[in-house]
């Protein structure tokens, strides 16, 4: 499969190892469509980039990620992810396309998108062809006509999963939650004794949820399997936390949004293969 961030294999490897305790070099090579030798070289490069904060241990062809300094790790990880943060990169162009379409209530003209990125129409169409193939894996699609405009069509939940898996740090580049609010969240869930990566994932979900609520794109409905989360201990435990966030951020966090926020805490999903 062609992933959205395929141009940056290093961050893809990191992302995969964050969500799974271990992966073999064969598994990584199949997912990224490169040789195991390339994977081994990429891991060496990653370890060089993350020196002092984390290490990918490669033993008997099994890769495991160990994080020793989480704040530093976050900064170094972000640096790797943003390496191609300009419109010369297909990754950044596709992120811009998704960002524009997911925040717009009306179709976008292809020529307007090309002009905004200062690229040719043919380059944009090529990027969109690749992007459509990736979006299919999330039951999303781009529809429309060049002279009328194009739109991003699909379920809001699937759109959020796409962003979380592929381009969260670009779509949510501007911080919505202040350090004080993040500390409030962490203090509220401290007694749950959650893994540090799970906590960070929880904050990502909250950030994206608030972002979409403020843009007027709330979760209208959820599948039954997610509705069942209302009976989970975490859902009941976190109601006061969600109420406090509503008061601080001046937004309404609906029952469906609250169910969405429980997903990272109970590992109901993994990144799309």
């Amino acid at each position: 499969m062609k992933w959205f961030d395929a141009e940056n294999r290093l961050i893809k490897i990191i992302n995969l190892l964050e969500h799974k305790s271990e992966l073999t070099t064969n598994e990584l090579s199949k997912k990224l469509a490169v040789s195991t030798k390339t994977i081994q070289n990429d891991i060496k490069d990653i370890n060089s980039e993350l020196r002092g904060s984390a290490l990918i241990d490669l033993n008997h062809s099994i890769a495991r990620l160990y994080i020793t300094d989480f704040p530093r790790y976050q900064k170094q990880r972000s640096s790797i992810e943003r390496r191609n943060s300009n419109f010369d990169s297909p990754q950044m162009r596709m992120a811009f396309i998704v960002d524009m379409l997911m925040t717009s209530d009306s179709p976008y003209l292809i020529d307007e998108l090309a002009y905004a990125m200062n690229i040719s129409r043919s380059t944009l169409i090529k990027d969109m062809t690749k992007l459509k193939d990736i979006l299919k894996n999330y039951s999303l699609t781009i529809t429309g006509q060049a002279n009328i405009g194009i739109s991003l069509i699909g379920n809001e939940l699937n759109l959020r999963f796409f962003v979380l898996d592929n381009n969260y740090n670009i779509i949510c580049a501007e911080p919505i939650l202040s350090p004080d609010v993040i500390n409030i969240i962490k203090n509220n869930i401290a007694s749950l004794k959650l893994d540090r990566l799970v906590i960070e994932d929880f904050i990502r979900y909250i950030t994206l949820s608030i972002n979409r609520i403020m843009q007027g794109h709330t979760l209208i409905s959820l599948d039954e399997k997610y509705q069942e989360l209302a009976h989970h201990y975490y859902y009941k435990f976190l109601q006061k936390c969600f109420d406090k966030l509503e008061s601080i951020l001046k937004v309404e966090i609906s029952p469906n949004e609250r169910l969405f926020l429980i997903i990272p805490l109970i590992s109901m999903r993994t990144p799309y293969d």
Side-chain angles (χ1 to χ4, degrees):
M1 176 191 299
K2 296 293 185 180
W3 283 81
F4 177 80
D5 53 0
E7 288 76 21
N8 194 338
R9 279 197 315 275
L10 302 191
I11 200 64
K12 190 60 199 173
I13 292 171
I14 292 171
N15 188 45
L16 288 167
L17 289 173
E18 283 179 343
H19 287 84
K20 293 191 176 182
S21 59
E22 62 182 42
L23 286 167
T24 67
T25 53
N26 280 334
E27 289 172 325
L28 289 168
S29 69
K30 289 178 181 177
K31 287 179 180 292
L32 301 178
V34 295
S35 68
T36 55
K37 181 64 176 177
T38 297
I39 293 296
Q40 291 169 359
N41 290 334
D42 285 343
I43 289 175
K44 289 180 182 178
D45 290 340
I46 292 170
N47 284 336
S48 177
E49 296 274 359
L50 298 180
R51 185 171 296 154
S53 72
L55 171 73
I56 296 178
D57 179 53
L58 188 59
N59 188 18
H60 298 298
S61 298
I62 298 175
R64 299 181 181 88
L65 175 64
Y66 297 98
I67 300 172
T68 55
D69 185 337
F70 200 79
R72 186 176 179 184
Y73 168 76
Q74 286 181 299
K75 291 179 181 179
Q76 292 172 324
R77 186 193 191 286
S78 180
S79 176
I80 297 172
E81 192 160 23
R82 292 177 179 277
R83 184 166 296 149
N84 294 324
S85 59
N86 57 66
F87 290 136
D88 291 332
S89 160
Q91 179 189 19
M92 191 61 182
R93 292 197 300 267
M94 287 190 286
F96 182 80
I97 294 170
V98 172
D99 193 15
M100 291 297 100
L101 296 183
M102 69 183 282
T103 57
S104 177
D105 293 322
S106 58
Y108 248 98
L109 291 174
I110 287 179
D111 289 339
E112 288 179 345
L113 286 170
Y115 178 79
M117 292 185 283
N118 194 28
I119 61 174
S120 68
R121 201 168 188 268
S122 61
T123 297
L124 176 60
I125 291 173
K126 182 179 178 181
D127 288 340
M128 283 180 53
T129 299
K130 183 177 182 180
L131 179 57
K132 286 179 180 179
D133 285 340
I134 301 164
L135 289 171
K136 287 178 183 177
N137 297 285
Y138 297 81
S139 299
L140 301 170
T141 187
I142 296 175
T143 62
Q145 299 178 6
N147 59 336
I148 297 176
I150 58 173
S151 299
L152 181 60
I153 305 298
N155 181 284
E156 172 68 20
L157 180 64
N158 290 339
L159 176 58
R160 294 187 188 190
F161 286 157
F162 170 82
V163 171
L164 288 161
D165 285 350
N166 296 283
N167 60 338
Y168 168 86
N169 284 343
I170 297 172
I171 296 296
C172 297
E174 295 297 323
I176 290 178
L177 306 179
S178 69
D180 287 342
V181 172
I182 291 175
N183 283 333
I184 289 172
I185 295 169
K186 290 182 176 180
N187 288 335
N188 271 270
I189 62 176
S191 63
L192 297 177
K193 307 290 185 184
L194 298 170
D195 181 83
R196 194 176 283 178
L197 286 175
V198 174
I199 294 172
E200 291 304 315
D201 213 22
F202 181 50
I203 291 171
R204 279 159 44 96
Y205 271 67
I206 293 175
T207 300
L208 181 57
S209 176
I210 300 301
N211 181 300
R212 295 299 285 166
I213 291 170
M214 289 179 171
Q215 292 170 352
H217 299 282
T218 59
L219 284 168
I220 304 301
S221 62
L222 287 175
D223 291 344
E224 185 177 344
K225 69 175 182 178
Y226 296 114
Q227 295 292 343
E228 293 175 358
L229 292 177
H231 304 294
H232 198 283
Y233 169 74
Y234 286 166
Y235 181 81
K236 298 173 182 177
F237 179 87
L238 289 169
Q239 292 309 302
K240 289 183 180 179
C241 177
F242 296 149
D243 289 343
K244 188 174 292 187
L245 287 176
E246 280 188 328
S247 176
I248 295 172
L249 300 173
K250 309 301 181 186
V251 298
E252 179 183 352
I253 304 176
S254 70
N256 280 338
E257 293 290 346
R258 296 179 183 217
L259 291 171
F260 168 73
L261 297 178
I262 301 300
I263 294 173
L265 303 184
I266 60 175
S267 302
M268 279 193 68
R269 67 180 298 270
T270 58
Y272 284 75
D273 291 326

